Amino acid sequence: MKKTPLLNVALSRLIASLGHGDMVVIGDAGLPVPPGVELIDLALTHGVPDFVSTLKVVLSEMQVESHALAKEIFDKQPTALTALDALNEEGALGRRDLLSHEQFKVLSRQARAIVRTGECQPYCNIVLVAGVTF
């Protein structure tokens, strides 16, 4: 049995296979998944699992160099934004890039995978860019 918090087989496999610069998207329940991009669907029902819990578990195993958010998250101010800002202040998310929501969706086409949560707050989506531990 694994000692780390991440138990999902598909998500663990994805993180173990990442190279420097590879992208993973953690998205809300409504984020579209482009054709050809792997979907790891964790959504069970509205809010389960939530965006922040999913992000924190991913961060327990993934080295992140930078991240991207849609600018619109600052207009809507979902409660998840507080946690995102705290993780950013801690240095857990690396450099922050802001894009329009449309640019975010275009960038997500390059992701290795999109992790769908049950989150139903607007714009609770993040692109994580893999870093290296050395």
Side-chain angles (χ1 to χ4, degrees):
M1 185 94 177
K2 287 182 64 168
K3 288 183 174 182
T4 60
L6 179 58
L7 297 178
N8 183 279
V9 172
L11 196 48
S12 188
R13 174 196 50 79
L14 170 68
I15 293 170
S17 74
L18 293 175
H20 186 213
D22 284 343
M23 292 182 286
V24 174
V25 175
I26 299 175
D28 59 30
L31 184 68
V33 178
V37 176
E38 179 183 2
L39 170 63
I40 298 176
D41 193 349
L42 304 178
L44 295 174
T45 190
H46 286 50
V48 180
D50 67 282
F51 172 79
V52 172
S53 295
T54 303
L55 176 60
K56 287 180 177 180
V57 171
V58 167
L59 291 175
S60 75
E61 292 200 10
M62 182 180 173
Q63 182 68 37
V64 175
E65 176 177 277
S66 64
H67 69 288
L69 301 172
K71 295 175 194 175
E72 291 84 349
I73 195 170
F74 297 102
D75 296 330
K76 294 293 183 180
Q77 295 282 313
T79 57
L81 185 55
T82 302
L84 280 170
D85 286 341
L87 288 166
N88 193 44
E89 289 288 321
E90 294 169 14
L93 298 174
R95 183 189 73 248
R96 176 175 281 179
D97 296 315
L98 298 176
L99 312 168
S100 72
H101 189 57
E102 287 307 312
Q103 291 170 318
F104 185 97
K105 290 190 287 188
V106 169
L107 182 62
S108 72
R109 294 178 194 157
Q110 298 174 40
R112 290 277 308 277
I114 293 180
V115 180
R116 181 174 173 246
T117 68
E119 187 63 63
C120 292
Q121 295 182 75
Y123 302 106
C124 288
N125 306 297
I126 190 168
V127 174
L128 301 173
V129 180
V132 293
T133 58
F134 55 89

